[in-house]
Amino acid sequence: MPFPLNTQTPCFFCFSLISILLIVSHHGYITATAADITSTIIGAIIDSNSRKGKEEMTAMKIAVDKFNNNSKNHKLSIISRDFTGELNRAALIAEELIKEKKVQVIVGMDTWQQAALAAEIESQALVPVFSLAASASVRPSRQLGRPTLIQMGTNVSEQIRCISAIVHSYHWQRVIAIYEDDAYGGNAEMLTILSEALQRVGSEIEYHLSLPPISSLSDPRGTVHQELLKLLSIQSRVFIILQSSIPMATYLFQEARRMDFMGKDSAWIVTDSISSFLDSMDTSVIPYMEGALGIKSYYSKSNRPFQEFSAQFQKNFKSEYPKEDNAQPGIHALRAYDSIAVITWALERLAGDTNTPKMLLKNISSSNFSGLSGIINFSNSNSLPFRIINIVGKGYKDLDFWTQDLDNPFCREGGDKNSYRNTTRILEGPVIWPGYLKRVPKGWEMPTDAKPLKIGIPANATFKNFVKVDKAQMKPEKKYTGFCIDIFWEVLKILEQNYSLPYEFHPFLGTYDELVDCVYNKTFDAVVGDVTILATRSKKVEFTVPYAESGLVIVQVTSEERHKAWMFLKPFTKETWVVTGALLIYTMFIVWVLEYQSNNPAFRGPWKSQLGTALWFTFSSLFFAHRETIRSNITRVVIVVWLFVVFVLTSSYTASLSSMLTVRRLDSNVTDIEWLKATRSVVGCDGDSFVREYLENVFDFEGAHIKNISNQNQYPGEFQSGNISAAVLDLPYAKIFTSQFCKNYTAGQPLNRFGGLGFAFQKGSPLATDVSEAILTISEKGILKELEDRWFPRSAECSATENDELSLGNFWALYLLCGATSTLCFLLFFLRLLIDFNRHQASGSDESVWMKTLQLVHFFHNGQTEIPNERLSNLSSCPTGDEWISARWSTVSPSYALEPPEASPPTATMNSRVSPSDVPESLETSPPTATIYTLD
C-alpha cells in the first residue's frame, strides 16, 4: 500500500519560499541605503595623558558628533593612538593608521617636527596631516616641500617678533634664552629667529640655557638647579622661555625664585607654550611665575559659537576626566575643534563622485572661514593677533595687544589688527614686575651691598688732575681724587635718587687698553677714568657720553714773536675804531652848528676855514689840546660829555697797548706732523695710552722716534734737554700742560678727533645709559664746568697773557651817552631856531614848504630873513636866535636909538648877525634907535 501524502507539505513549502523572498528584498534595501552613506576616518595621534592631549581629544569628539548629527550622507569616525615616544615612532604610527586602518586624515602630534616627518613619509598617499603644534618656520608648509602638512598652530616666529618688540620698548640690550630641548633641532631654528629679531632692535642673546627633556630626567628639580647655577656669572636678567613643557616650566620657576633669579630688576617672558595652559594649570604653581609677561594667542570668548562649545566642552571634559580641576577649554582645544571643522568644510564641498585624496587636500588648502581660534585661511600669511598678559597671583591679567608696529607696538584695545588705535611705545599696564618693583626692571644684575659694583681706575695716570690714587689715605674720598672721580660722585648723587648703587674702586696698574679688556672679560664691571672713546674699544665695552672732548695735539717749545707794524691798532677791535670815528665826526658837526649860530668868530669865515677849525677842535680835544673859545652853553654840555668819553677811551687804549707791548708773545717752530717725520724728530707721549700705537699705525712713526713719558712734570725737562722736539698729547692733557707752562710751550690745532673721554661699562649694561643721562644733567646744570675750573685752573702768569681786544661791547654805554647828549642839544637848538624863525616870519604867509625851508636855511646862514610889509619897530621887542642860545645879553646905550621910522631902511636888521660890510651908510653915520642885543 503506498505511503500516504502529507497534506501540510505544500503549505510549508509556499511559506518558506515567501519568507526567503522577503528577507532577500529587505537585505537589498539595507544594502542600497548603506551604499548612499560615505564615511571618513580620522586618525588622531596625541598624548592622552597630557592636559593638551585631553583637551584636543575632547574637542575633536565634540566636533565629530556635531557633524554626524547634522549630516545624513556622510559620517566621521576617529581612531586615536597614544603617542609619547620618539620622532620616528610618530611617523610609524601614522603609516600604520593609513595602511591598516585606512584613515584619510591625520590630526595631532605634540611637535612640529613630528608632524613634518609624518607628512613627508606619507606625502605619496596625499593624506592631509594637521599639526596642532606651533611652527618655528616663517614659510608655509607647501613652500617647504610638504604640501600635505596643514599647520593649525601659530608660527613661533610671530611670537618672537612680539617678544623683540617688548625687549626693544624697555631698552633691554641683552637677554637669556631658555628652552627645553626636544632633540629634534627645532630649538636651534627658534634661537636663530630670536637672535635675528633681537639684532634688528639693537639687542642680543647673551646666553642660551638648554634644559634636557623632562621625560629623560630622574631628578628634574636637581637638574634644573644645576643648570641655573650657570647663570650666576651672567649679568643679564631678562629671561625668555622659548619652549617648555608645563612640568619643566613648573620646576624652572620654582628653582628660579629660590635662587633669586626672579628678584628685583629681572624680567621674564614666556611664549604660548606656557601661557596657553594658564587657564588649566594648577593654581598652586602660578604664584611662582608672578611678575612674568606672557604671549597668548587671542580668541574671542564673547561670540555664541564659542559659548556653546565651551558649555559642551566643560560637560564632556568633567565627565571623562573628573580628576582635572579646571574644565575650561584652551587654545589647543579650539585648534583641535577647528581642525575637524576644516575637514568637514572640505568634505561638504566635494562632489559625490570626486571624493579623492587630491580633491580633499585641495579643498582643505582653500579653506576660508571663521573658526573658534580665529580666521582659518591657509593661503594667507597674515599673523594671528597676540595679547600680552601679566601673571599676577594665581592667575593673570590682560595687558595690551601686539600691533606689529616697531615704534608703537602695543594697543590697549583690539584683537583685529584693523582696529588698533591709540598705540603706545610701552605696555600701558600697570605691569606687576618680579619683586613688586615699581619701575621698569633694568634687566641686569644690579649691584648690592654683598656684591658691589667693581670699578677699575688707573692707578698711575700720567696727568694726576684726572685720577690720583693716594695709597697713604684710608678714606675713599681722600684716597681717590681727581676730575673723573668727582664726576662719578656727582653722577652717583643723581642715580641714588632712583636706586642705590654700591661700588668699590680697584686701582689697576697697566695700560688703558688692558684696563678696558678687564671690563670686557668681566674682571671689572666698569672703568672710571680718563679713557678715550675709540672704535676698537667700543666693540668691547659700552661707553657713556663723553664728558670731555679729545683729539691728538702737538705741543712744542715756542720762540718770541716779532713786534708787528700794526700793533698800535690791536687794542681796539675794528668795530670799535669805526664807531669811535663816526662819533667823533658827529660831535664835530654838532659843535660847529651850535657855535656857528652863536656867532663865534672861530667857527665863521670861508667854508674851508670853518671845516678846518671844526676838525682841528675835535681832534685836538682827543689830547685835551683845544684852545678855541666856546660861547654857547649848550656847546659846553656837548664838549664836557665828549671829553669824558675821550678820557675813558684814551686810558683804555693806553693800558691795553702797554700790556701788548710788554708781555712777550710766543710763536711755534714746528709746523705739523709731517715736518716731524721728515726731520726724524723725537716726540714724547703717554706710553700707557693709545697714542704711541696710534702714531706707529696711523702716522707711520718709527718706534725709535717715540719716547714714553709717564709723568706730566717730566715733559719740561725732556724739552729743555733736547730729548724730544715735540709732545703728542690728547687734547685734554694738552690744555692742562699749556695752561701750566704757557710762557714756553704752545699747542696747535687737533690733528684729528676721537670720541672724547668717558666711562666704560660692560656691553648691555643699563648703567651706561643711566650714567650718560646723569653726565648730561650735571653738564646742563653747570656742575661739570665748575669741576673743570676747580681741577684745571689757569695760573696767574698764563691768565695775564690773555689780552683780548677791547670790543664795542666794552664802551656801548659811553657811546650811547655821548650820542644821546649831542642829539638832545642839537634838537633843543633846532627847536629854538624854529621858534625864532616863526616870530620873524610874516603872518598869514602862504608860501610853499620848500620856500619856507630855504628861508630857514638863509635865516641860519645869514642870521636874517626878509619879512615884507613889516616895520623894524615891530621886531624890536622880539628876541633873536642868539637871544635863545646865549645865556647873557648886553643892551646898547639909549643914545644910539633909531631915527624916526621914515628915515629908517625898510628892512629890519639884526646887528648881532650882520657883518660890517653889510651895514648901510645911513646906519653907519646915524646912531640906531632900536635896541640891539649882542652875545658876549
Side-chain angles (χ1 to χ4, degrees):
M1 180 176 178
F3 185 81
L5 294 174
N6 191 351
T7 58
Q8 295 180 351
T9 300
C11 295
F12 177 77
F13 177 78
C14 291
F15 176 77
S16 300
L17 179 62
I18 293 172
S19 299
I20 292 172
L21 291 175
L22 291 174
I23 293 173
V24 170
S25 62
H26 181 70
H27 177 73
Y29 171 78
I30 294 176
T31 304
T33 303
D36 293 336
I37 299 176
T38 58
S39 177
T40 299
I41 304 175
I42 300 174
I45 305 176
I46 61 173
D47 181 6
S48 59
N49 295 321
S50 66
R51 171 74 188 203
K52 177 174 177 288
K54 294 175 182 179
E55 288 189 15
E56 291 171 346
M57 196 63 203
T58 303
M60 285 190 288
K61 288 180 179 180
I62 294 175
V64 168
D65 292 342
K66 180 180 179 180
F67 178 80
N68 290 338
N69 293 334
N70 297 329
S71 177
K72 297 180 180 180
N73 300 326
H74 205 123
K75 301 297 181 181
L76 297 179
S77 61
I78 297 180
I79 300 177
S80 63
R81 289 290 185 270
D82 190 12
F83 169 73
T84 56
E86 299 178 353
L87 177 65
N88 295 332
R89 178 161 172 74
L92 295 176
I93 293 176
E95 185 176 10
E96 180 260 332
L97 288 174
I98 293 174
K99 292 183 178 180
E100 297 183 8
K101 301 300 180 180
K102 307 300 180 183
V103 298
Q104 296 162 279
V105 181
I106 294 178
V107 180
M109 282 164 282
D110 288 338
T111 66
W112 170 260
Q113 290 76 19
Q114 294 172 359
L117 181 58
E120 187 173 349
I121 294 176
E122 306 303 333
S123 59
Q124 295 181 354
L126 295 178
V127 175
V129 178
F130 283 82
S131 173
L132 303 180
S135 167
S137 175
V138 181
R139 296 178 295 171
S141 302
R142 61 180 179 276
Q143 297 181 10
L144 298 174
R146 305 184 185 100
T148 60
L149 183 56
I150 309 299
Q151 178 184 342
M152 293 298 296
T154 59
N155 282 329
V156 175
S157 59
E158 296 295 334
Q159 299 185 54
I160 289 176
R161 287 176 56 198
C162 181
I163 291 173
S164 66
I166 297 175
V167 172
H168 176 65
S169 65
Y170 290 113
H171 305 289
W172 295 324
Q173 296 186 12
R174 292 197 169 189
V175 304
I176 297 175
I178 303 176
Y179 55 88
E180 183 179 357
D181 191 7
D182 58 7
Y184 305 139
N187 297 316
E189 187 174 5
M190 286 192 295
L191 279 175
T192 302
I193 297 174
L194 177 62
S195 178
E196 294 174 353
L198 292 176
Q199 287 178 3
R200 283 193 290 267
V201 297
S203 302
E204 62 178 336
I205 301 175
E206 183 176 12
Y207 188 82
H208 60 88
L209 181 64
S210 176
L211 300 175
I214 194 169
S215 59
S216 64
L217 301 177
S218 59
D219 182 15
R221 188 181 303 277
T223 302
V224 171
H225 179 81
Q226 292 298 321
E227 293 294 332
L228 289 179
L229 289 176
K230 301 177 182 178
L231 303 181
L232 293 177
S233 60
I234 308 299
Q235 288 200 289
S236 175
R237 286 299 177 264
V238 179
F239 304 93
I240 299 175
I241 303 180
L242 288 175
Q243 189 275 327
S244 174
S245 62
I246 296 302
M248 178 61 78
T250 301
Y251 288 118
L252 176 62
F253 278 103
Q254 288 175 346
E255 288 302 311
R257 187 166 292 276
R258 290 192 183 98
M259 298 175 67
D260 201 30
F261 283 109
M262 295 198 68
K264 294 182 178 180
D265 285 301
S266 65
W268 288 75
I269 305 175
V270 299
T271 59
D272 195 45
S273 64
I274 296 176
S275 59
S276 61
F277 291 102
L278 290 175
D279 294 321
S280 57
M281 189 180 295
D282 186 357
T283 55
S284 63
V285 175
I286 297 179
Y288 289 101
M289 305 180 184
E290 187 172 34
L293 298 177
I295 313 298
K296 200 170 187 293
S297 297
Y298 172 78
Y299 53 89
S300 176
K301 297 182 180 181
S302 59
N303 57 71
R304 184 176 179 181
F306 175 83
Q307 293 176 354
E308 293 177 352
F309 167 78
S310 178
Q312 185 65 39
F313 180 89
Q314 294 182 52
K315 179 180 178 181
N316 295 2
F317 194 83
K318 290 179 180 179
S319 175
E320 192 167 355
Y321 307 104
K323 294 183 179 181
E324 291 287 342
D325 296 332
N326 194 319
Q328 292 290 337
I331 185 64
H332 302 288
L334 302 185
R335 289 171 182 161
Y337 182 90
D338 285 341
S339 65
I340 303 301
V342 170
I343 297 172
T344 59
W345 189 90
L347 291 175
E348 290 174 352
R349 282 152 182 77
L350 287 176
D353 55 349
T354 57
N355 188 0
T356 62
K358 186 174 182 181
M359 290 302 299
L360 178 61
L361 181 61
K362 181 179 179 181
N363 286 353
I364 289 175
S365 301
S366 61
S367 298
N368 187 8
F369 63 93
S370 180
L372 296 182
S373 62
I375 301 298
I376 306 299
N377 189 346
F378 301 113
S379 61
N380 193 348
S381 59
N382 292 336
S383 60
L384 295 176
F386 289 105
R387 184 152 203 168
I388 295 94
I389 63 172
N390 185 201
I391 302 176
V392 181
K394 295 184 178 182
Y396 65 91
K397 66 175 183 177
D398 296 330
L399 295 179
D400 296 341
F401 288 95
W402 174 51
T403 66
Q404 303 189 44
D405 183 6
L406 185 60
D407 295 327
N408 296 291
F410 308 113
C411 180
R412 171 63 67 180
E413 299 178 356
D416 179 5
K417 65 179 180 180
N418 297 322
S419 65
Y420 295 138
R421 289 176 176 85
N422 300 324
T423 58
T424 57
R425 187 182 63 83
I426 61 175
L427 297 172
E428 288 191 2
V431 180
I432 304 299
W433 298 105
Y436 297 99
L437 191 67
K438 295 182 179 180
R439 55 174 173 81
V440 176
K442 296 297 181 181
W444 195 260
E445 185 184 14
M446 299 299 289
T448 61
D449 293 333
K451 191 177 179 181
L453 189 72
K454 297 174 63 176
I455 301 176
I457 61 173
N460 193 19
T462 301
F463 289 84
K464 306 300 182 182
N465 303 67
F466 286 94
V467 178
K468 182 180 179 180
V469 179
D470 189 353
K471 298 180 179 179
Q473 299 290 337
M474 297 300 296
K475 296 182 178 180
E477 59 271 15
K478 294 183 178 181
K479 183 176 183 180
Y480 307 104
T481 57
F483 177 59
C484 299
I485 303 299
D486 281 358
I487 290 178
F488 176 75
W489 282 337
E490 292 295 335
V491 166
L492 201 61
K493 294 178 182 178
I494 297 177
L495 296 183
E496 287 179 344
Q497 297 176 4
N498 298 320
Y499 53 85
S500 62
L501 190 67
Y503 69 93
E504 57 184 20
F505 288 132
H506 294 267
F508 177 80
L509 289 173
T511 65
Y512 282 83
D513 285 335
E514 293 173 348
L515 183 57
V516 170
D517 289 338
C518 286
V519 178
Y520 176 68
N521 59 33
K522 300 183 179 180
T523 303
F524 296 142
D525 298 318
V527 168
V528 170
D530 49 336
V531 182
T532 304
I533 302 174
L534 302 175
T536 54
R537 294 174 178 175
S538 297
K539 295 177 181 179
K540 301 178 180 180
V541 296
E542 193 88 19
F543 280 103
T544 64
V545 296
Y547 57 81
E549 60 180 345
S550 64
L552 287 188
V553 175
I554 298 178
V555 178
Q556 53 214 306
V557 180
T558 57
S559 59
E560 190 172 352
E561 180 188 59
R562 298 182 181 88
H563 295 290
K564 297 182 179 179
W566 298 99
M567 178 65 73
F568 68 92
L569 295 177
K570 298 292 288 184
F572 289 163
T573 62
K574 188 181 299 183
E575 293 79 8
T576 305
W577 283 115
V578 172
V579 175
T580 303
L583 186 63
L584 184 146
I585 295 173
Y586 181 67
T587 304
M588 176 193 73
F589 171 74
I590 297 298
V591 170
W592 173 77
V593 169
L594 298 179
E595 289 303 303
Y596 183 87
Q597 187 66 12
S598 300
N599 200 22
N600 190 336
F603 291 89
R604 282 187 168 271
W607 284 106
K608 292 182 179 180
S609 177
Q610 295 181 40
L611 181 61
T613 300
L615 287 173
W616 169 253
F617 175 81
T618 309
F619 277 101
S620 61
S621 66
L622 295 175
F623 311 100
F624 304 96
H626 56 286
R627 296 184 179 180
E628 288 75 12
T629 303
I630 301 300
R631 295 190 175 186
S632 174
N633 287 336
I634 297 181
T635 308
R636 292 188 180 101
V637 174
V638 174
I639 294 300
V640 168
V641 176
W642 167 248
L643 291 178
F644 176 71
V645 173
V646 169
F647 173 75
V648 175
L649 289 176
T650 53
S651 300
S652 302
Y653 177 86
T654 302
S656 180
L657 183 61
S658 300
S659 176
M660 290 182 177
L661 295 175
T662 55
V663 176
R664 183 175 58 173
R665 311 299 292 179
L666 302 177
D667 191 13
S668 60
N669 296 322
V670 179
T671 56
D672 55 14
I673 196 73
E674 296 299 329
W675 184 89
L676 292 172
K677 290 171 56 179
T679 57
R680 303 179 68 84
S681 301
V682 178
V683 298
C685 70
D686 182 5
D688 291 336
S689 70
F690 70 98
V691 177
R692 181 183 182 92
E693 184 178 354
Y694 192 87
L695 289 173
E696 294 176 350
N697 298 335
V698 178
F699 291 125
D700 297 328
F701 251 88
E702 296 182 8
H705 296 155
I706 303 175
K707 185 172 184 178
N708 294 340
I709 299 177
S710 58
N711 191 290
Q712 66 184 82
N713 296 323
Q714 295 178 359
Y715 282 98
E718 296 293 335
F719 274 114
Q720 294 172 6
S721 62
N723 293 334
I724 59 174
S725 300
V728 180
L729 302 176
D730 205 349
L731 183 58
Y733 309 143
K735 289 182 178 180
I736 296 175
F737 184 77
T738 55
S739 66
Q740 293 179 347
F741 305 100
C742 58
K743 303 286 289 184
N744 301 314
Y745 303 97
T746 184
Q749 294 297 321
L751 302 175
N752 44 23
R753 296 283 184 178
F754 301 109
L757 302 184
F759 300 154
F761 291 85
Q762 293 181 11
K763 276 287 187 179
S765 173
L767 291 176
T769 302
D770 293 347
V771 172
S772 295
E773 294 176 357
I775 291 176
L776 294 176
T777 300
I778 65 175
S779 178
E780 293 169 0
K781 291 183 177 180
I783 300 176
L784 191 60
K785 183 64 171 60
E786 295 177 1
L787 296 179
E788 290 179 359
D789 296 339
R790 182 193 308 171
W791 286 101
F792 313 126
R794 293 186 64 84
S795 63
E797 182 183 12
C798 294
S799 300
T801 63
E802 296 182 355
N803 297 290
D804 296 334
E805 295 177 331
L806 297 174
S807 64
L808 192 60
N810 299 113
F811 304 110
W812 68 269
L814 285 175
Y815 291 149
L816 181 62
L817 175 65
C818 183
T821 303
S822 300
T823 303
L824 182 63
C825 292
F826 176 77
L827 292 176
L828 182 61
F829 155 75
F830 189 72
L831 177 63
R832 292 178 176 177
L833 180 65
L834 286 177
I835 294 174
D836 187 35
F837 173 73
N838 290 332
R839 288 182 177 179
H840 290 79
Q841 189 179 18
S843 61
S845 176
D846 57 351
E847 295 176 341
S848 63
V849 176
W850 174 250
M851 185 60 66
K852 290 183 179 180
T853 303
L854 292 178
Q855 290 179 5
L856 179 62
V857 174
H858 184 268
F859 180 80
F860 170 76
H861 179 64
N862 294 324
Q864 63 182 8
T865 181
E866 298 293 337
I867 305 177
N869 302 324
E870 289 289 338
R871 304 286 298 175
L872 184 60
S873 59
N874 297 336
L875 302 175
S876 61
S877 61
C878 300
T880 65
D882 285 343
E883 294 174 302
W884 293 97
I885 297 174
S886 178
R888 294 179 299 159
W889 305 89
S890 62
T891 304
V892 182
S893 173
S895 61
Y896 291 97
L898 293 174
E899 292 295 329
E902 56 269 18
S904 302
T907 303
T909 304
M910 301 181 68
N911 291 343
S912 62
R913 298 177 179 82
V914 181
S915 63
S917 61
D918 295 332
V919 180
E921 294 180 359
S922 60
L923 296 178
E924 292 178 359
T925 57
S926 61
T929 59
T931 301
I932 307 300
Y933 299 96
T934 60
L935 288 168
D936 290 340

